[in-house]
Structures are given as structure tokens and as C-alpha cells.
Amino acid sequence: MSERPNPYSLFSNCPLVWGAAALWTLLLFAPAAASAQGIMADYQEALGMDETLDDTVVDRPGAPNWLEESAHFWYRKSVEGGHSFVLVNAESRQKQPAFDHDRLATTLSDSIDGESYTATSLPFWSFEYADGRDAIEFDAADAAWRCALDSYACERTEEASGGSGDEGDWCGWLSNDDEDDPAPVVSPNGTREALIRNHDVYVRPTDSADAPVRALSYDGADGDAYTNASIAWSPDGTKLAVYRVDDAPTRTVNYVVSSPDDQLQPKAYSCPYPKPGDELDDKQPVLFDVETGDKTVVDDSLFPDAYSMSDLEWWDDGRGFTFEYNQRGHQVYRVIEVDGETGKARALISEEPDTFFDYSSKQYRHDVGDGDEIIWMSERDGWNHLYLYNGRTGEVKTQITDGKWVVRGVDHVDEENRQIYFHASGRPEGKDPYFVHYYRVNFDGTGLTALTDAHGTHEVTYSPDMEYYVDTWSRVDQPPISQLRRTDDGEVLMTLEEADASALYETGWSPPEVFTAKARDDSTNIWGIIVRPMDFDPDKKYPVIERIYAGPHGAFVPKSFSSLASMQALAE
């Protein structure tokens, strides 16, 4: 620590903070200036960095937007003074402006009162082609617009649909209540429809609006009702699977927004919010034979005390239906199959880890050939990998990926060629294990092929036909590079953009330093970065703030390039 008075003494007595996922960002603070006035001036100046540092990087590529059934895509890129849009033909390896930016800027300046736009300051960040690329549509100035690309005549079509709503909207996703669609659900063969009336299940033929309804259940009640949204017809239209839901008592949480945007006075809100230990809704799957009227309540011994249960989905051949069960506490997660004739349940896949099943970010299932095989993701060997199941017997046929690295997600399954496209971390060995790379592998685990190779973290977007992909990669000390590549062999067909950060460096900014340190086991490397103030002097001592977020299923140290403006402002 500096020997002079330290305005950052807030941190001086804090112990070093370690977490379960101790991934570090270290920020070295400038030594205290001679007066508090100088410190405040430096701080105020640093606050403006968020809006200026990143704007100095030009030719930074945005995400590609592939056009359906086409080898074309467009992307947005940063340019001096703003941004522009580029259209690429992957087959011809040519790129051009996505439209005439100058003409569009002139039209919008004339159409929107009080605004003046240039080719690099168009008031939208995304658009869609329409009429075979003869027009574009976008949201700007609180409205939706459509502009013809032959005349550049633009018309306001409707009010824009954007907006986050008011402060009370967050209640919606906290509620476990499902609103049923009251519309009847028509059978796949179109001859019958099922509906919920007075909490029970009814069916009727579809050929007459006046046809009488026939009850299939009589035990539905207020608070213990069959739900319209869960109705699932068998493919031949002879059976129904439906959830009967026993509603749990609703806990209400009250809160106050002290400073709403639209008025001076506070606003009060209430919303349903179950707390740990509260009773949860109980979903009971029930099978109905529409022909005979027989009802089978599925035995729930394989799925007790559920935190959640997924939609009911029939196999195409009608042999049964499946749903996924997540036990409260997340230590049991199962794929349940119910026999379409007997209503007997069995676990096709059962995960019962000692810790917990990460259903939020590491759950993946893909049914192959009407469930003859199932591709499944699991951490059962200590690393997140893919497995191929026999969907008829529930037995593992093979572990598709393995090793001391983790699958991060599946991007595409090619059933015809029996190949899986996925992204992963921890490969190649010896590099930053949090970098993301992309791969292809056969169903039987052979033929593992890297589709990205540059030293950095990657983001890949495939064309609709999987013939091409755009690979954009960077590091904290390497500005983004974007390339068009061929999926078959990974060959680089053209470099789309190489971001230029020279103007950023001219401000005095320098990239953070990547470092590793041993974890408490004296073996595992922990990867972090050090952010220094722009006037860093290696001959001086600096106070340090350690910025971490410790969580079992998240990594928060930056891995891709940016000015890290908020961290840089702290360092300044």
C-alpha cells in the first residue's frame, strides 16, 4: 500500500476475498493525489470513459444475420463516427454495403421531426430485409419503418414494439401461475378437439359447432384442475395426456419503487413469489383413452416433490409420451416416459448427482429417430460431456465426448450424417480453459474436429444450410477478427473484419495483463486479469481492489476484447 494518505482506505482493511469460483479481476488504483480536489477531478473524468473508449475502436464486427435459405448474411460494424451495415455473399466471397446509407439518412432526416442523420449515425442497430431484399424494415424514433430500396421512400408502419414496461413487470416471471389458453386443442387428425370446462376434460367432434361435449374426467376442482395448456394429443388422436394441477398457496411479496420514471410519488406493487420451503404446485399427469373413456392416473413415485415438470410430448409412433422432471433441490433430474397403453412410467434417463444438476445452463436433450436414440448432456464423470442413449432401453450406448474439458453447448445435430456441432472450453490443453472453441464430432465419439483454432475466445454462427460459418474471436489483448469459413473442412474463405484499436491505444489505454495463480489446492490454475491506470508507474506502489463473483455455474472474468471502461474508470 502507498505510505501517503489513501483516499481508498475503504478497501485497505478488507481481507483478500476468495470464492468457490475465485476468478479474479485486479484493479490497481492510482496513488493518492496531493489534494482531494485532484482525486475528484480524476474520478469525474473517468466516469465519462464508458461513452468514449469503446467508440474509438473501428471495424469491430457485429454478429452475422444469415438470410433464410440463402448464402447471404449482413452484419453491423463500427466505423468512425458511428456504424454501418455490410451485406456478404458467401458463395461469391463478396461484400458490399447492405443498402445506400447516405440516401437512407437523407430520407429519415426529412421524415423524423427535429432529427438529422448521417450515413454513419442511422437511428437503428438492426433491420430485416423484406420483399426479396427490395425493402428493409426497422424500428426507429418509437415507430416501425419500411423503406423501399429502389426509391428510398420510407413509411411509418406502426408504433414500435420495444420498451421494457414499468417497474412492476418483473413480477411476471416470478410467478408460477400459468394462464391457460381457453381455445380448444384440435387432435392431429383433425376429427376431435379437447377443452377444459369447469376444471374437467371434455372432447367433442370438430365437424359441428353445435356438437355435444363428452366428459372424460369428473374430479377436477377449483385449485385442483386440469389445465388447457397441458393438453397433448396422441398422434392418432385416440388418447390424451393432461396435467391436473394442485395449486399451492400463493405467497405475496410487496415492494415499493421509490423513484418511478413517470411520477414523483412512489409506486407500490405486489406479486406472487414463492420462497424456499414454500409449497409448490403439484402436477399430476393423467392419461385418457378417448375411445373408451378410460382414465389412468400416472403413478408419481418416480417424480415426487417436483420443482418443475416439462410439457407432455408424445412419440411420433404413439407408443407413449415423455416429460422431464426436476426434483426440488435439483439433486434428481429425470426424463420420464409413460406407456401410451398402460400409463406405466419409467425413467429413461436419471441424473442423481451428489451436488446438484445444473438444469439452468447444462441441460441438453435431443431425440434422434423418434426417440430411438437420445443425445444427453451430463456432468456425471466430473466434466460436462455428451452421451448417446438407447432411447428404447434407457441404456447408455456410448459417451460421445470425454476428457478433462467441458462441453458448453450444442449448436446443431446432423441426424443424417450422425454428427454433432458443439462448443466447449478447456481445449486445447495449456491455454486459458475459459476460452470457447467450436467442434464437430460423430455420434459414436469418433472424428472430433476443431472448427476454430486461433488463440482466443470464439463465437460462431452457422448458415441455415450449415455450408458456412462466421467465426469471430478475440482476447482481452486482441481486438476482434471475423472470418467466413467453410464448414466441411474449416477453410478460411475470407476475412470479414479486423478491428482497429489504434485510436484506443493513443488515449493511453493499454490492454489488461492476463495472469494465473494457484488455487487453494496448490495445483489448479486460476485465471484473471490486471487492469492498470493509464498513468501507471512501475516504480510506485498501488492499492489493489479485487473484483470477483464467486458462483458455481458462472465465469465473469472478461475473455473477449473491450475497453473494459467501467473497470478502467475504477482503476483511474
Side-chain angles (χ1 to χ4, degrees):
M1 303 291 287
S2 172
E3 295 179 0
R4 68 183 81 181
N6 179 18
Y8 305 103
S9 59
L10 164 65
F11 307 108
S12 62
N13 294 319
C14 293
L16 197 63
V17 179
W18 295 79
L23 308 178
W24 302 334
T25 300
L26 300 185
L27 301 108
L28 305 189
F29 282 78
S35 69
Q37 187 67 33
I39 292 296
M40 180 58 69
D42 290 344
Y43 177 68
Q44 295 292 346
E45 182 180 357
L47 287 179
M49 289 182 176
D50 278 335
E51 301 176 0
T52 58
L53 287 182
D54 274 317
D55 291 342
T56 62
V57 180
V58 298
D59 297 332
R60 181 199 295 269
N65 297 268
W66 288 92
L67 307 185
E68 288 297 327
E69 301 179 359
S70 170
H72 293 77
F73 63 92
W74 65 265
Y75 62 91
R76 179 177 50 82
K77 61 179 284 187
S78 63
V79 297
E80 187 173 352
H83 60 272
S84 64
F85 299 90
V86 181
L87 178 66
V88 180
N89 184 333
E91 291 180 341
S92 65
R93 324 291 196 254
Q94 294 179 331
K95 62 178 185 176
Q96 64 187 58
F99 45 79
D100 190 322
H101 292 61
D102 286 303
R103 292 184 68 184
L104 185 58
T106 299
T107 299
L108 292 178
S109 297
D110 293 339
S111 304
I112 301 175
D113 292 340
E115 299 293 344
S116 178
Y117 301 108
T118 68
T120 60
S121 66
L122 294 171
F124 57 90
W125 289 67
S126 181
F127 71 92
E128 291 185 1
Y129 280 112
D131 297 337
R133 300 211 306 272
D134 288 336
I136 59 172
E137 298 175 338
F138 54 88
D139 287 348
D142 297 324
W145 295 82
R146 181 185 181 89
C147 299
L149 296 185
D150 55 353
S151 64
Y152 281 85
C154 297
E155 61 177 348
R156 187 192 303 256
T157 58
E158 59 184 24
E159 295 302 308
S161 59
S164 58
D166 66 25
E167 294 87 348
D169 285 351
W170 68 277
C171 280
W173 65 268
L174 295 173
S175 171
N176 280 341
D177 294 337
D178 295 323
E179 285 195 30
D180 284 332
D181 181 355
V185 181
V186 180
S187 64
N189 57 17
T191 61
R192 297 187 178 100
E193 59 186 19
L195 64 155
I196 305 300
R197 181 174 292 179
N198 296 325
H199 313 303
D200 275 308
V201 183
Y202 290 79
V203 292
R204 66 186 176 197
T206 56
D207 56 2
S208 173
D210 299 325
V213 296
R214 177 165 60 95
L216 293 180
S217 72
Y218 299 93
D219 55 345
D222 187 21
D224 190 13
Y226 293 90
T227 60
N228 199 91
S230 71
I231 294 174
W233 281 97
S234 65
D236 63 3
T238 63
K239 296 181 177 65
L240 279 175
V242 189
Y243 278 130
R244 192 179 74 238
V245 180
D246 184 0
D247 293 331
T250 301
R251 178 189 292 274
T252 300
V253 172
N254 303 308
Y255 69 101
V256 174
V257 176
S258 64
S259 306
D261 293 334
D262 59 345
Q263 66 183 43
L264 292 175
Q265 299 301 319
K267 288 184 177 180
Y269 291 96
S270 297
C271 61
Y273 194 114
K275 296 293 189 72
D278 285 354
E279 190 177 342
L280 298 177
D281 291 351
D282 179 35
K283 287 186 174 181
Q284 174 64 61
V286 181
L287 174 66
F288 294 97
D289 188 316
V290 180
E291 303 290 344
T292 65
D294 291 342
K295 182 185 79 171
T296 303
V297 178
V298 180
D299 178 29
D300 63 0
S301 58
L302 285 173
F303 45 94
D305 196 18
Y307 173 79
S308 65
M309 291 164 66
S310 68
D311 292 343
L312 307 171
E313 298 183 356
W314 285 85
W315 297 122
D316 290 342
D317 65 3
R319 67 183 183 275
F321 61 89
T322 67
F323 60 90
E324 295 181 16
Y325 155 71
N326 183 3
Q327 189 183 66
R328 190 168 192 165
H330 319 304
Q331 289 188 276
V332 177
Y333 194 100
R334 291 180 175 136
V335 178
I336 304 292
E337 181 188 65
V338 178
D339 187 284
E341 293 295 332
T342 66
K344 184 178 180 180
R346 64 169 179 156
L348 280 180
I349 300 173
S350 186
E351 294 283 344
E352 302 178 39
D354 293 332
T355 52
F356 73 99
F357 183 83
D358 189 353
Y359 67 95
S360 64
S361 60
K362 294 179 181 176
Q363 188 277 330
Y364 179 80
R365 168 188 164 199
H366 180 89
D367 300 329
V368 180
D370 195 26
D372 289 341
E373 295 174 308
I374 299 173
I375 298 170
W376 181 253
M377 184 183 289
S378 173
E379 292 185 287
R380 64 187 58 180
D381 73 349
W383 304 84
N384 200 45
H385 282 299
L386 299 175
Y387 294 78
L388 185 66
Y389 271 79
N390 182 320
R392 299 282 182 161
T393 66
E395 297 176 347
V396 175
K397 295 179 66 174
T398 188
Q399 182 171 346
I400 301 171
T401 60
D402 66 273
K404 294 183 177 181
W405 50 278
V406 295
V407 173
R408 297 285 291 270
V410 175
D411 305 298
H412 176 71
V413 175
D414 181 349
E415 294 189 21
E416 181 178 354
N417 294 307
R418 296 183 65 78
Q419 293 180 323
I420 302 168
Y421 293 79
F422 67 96
H423 51 285
S425 290
R427 297 176 57 94
E429 190 174 346
K431 302 296 183 181
D432 187 328
Y434 293 94
F435 283 164
V436 176
H437 283 275
Y438 286 71
Y439 300 89
R440 179 178 60 230
V441 69
N442 297 324
F443 280 16
D444 62 4
T446 63
L448 180 63
T449 303
L451 300 174
T452 56
D453 44 29
H455 178 48
T457 197
H458 294 252
E459 185 170 352
V460 162
T461 305
Y462 295 95
S463 63
D465 60 7
M466 296 296 293
E467 291 292 323
Y468 307 97
Y469 62 95
V470 174
D471 173 23
T472 302
W473 65 276
S474 69
R475 299 188 305 268
V476 293
D477 57 354
Q478 166 64 58
I481 295 175
S482 187
Q483 298 172 320
L484 174 67
R485 307 180 74 159
R486 186 166 50 215
T487 307
D488 182 50
D489 56 9
E491 180 182 349
V492 176
L493 302 178
M494 64 184 297
T495 296
L496 300 169
E497 301 293 342
E498 293 188 40
D500 180 1
S502 56
L504 174 61
Y505 298 137
E506 289 172 2
T507 67
W509 180 91
S510 60
E513 177 187 343
V514 177
F515 75 93
T516 61
K518 293 300 181 185
R520 70 181 69 185
D521 63 4
D522 291 326
S523 175
T524 304
N525 281 330
I526 301 296
W527 292 71
I529 62 173
I530 301 172
V531 179
R532 293 179 170 84
M534 292 184 185
D535 61 353
F536 176 77
D537 184 343
D539 293 328
K540 294 181 179 179
K541 293 183 179 181
Y542 291 79
V544 175
I545 177 173
E546 181 186 22
R547 172 174 168 165
I548 72 166
Y549 186 99
H553 49 272
F556 298 89
V557 172
K559 298 298 173 184
S560 57
F561 185 85
S562 79
S563 68
L564 303 176
S566 62
M567 295 183 187
Q568 192 68 50
L570 266 180
E572 300 307 319

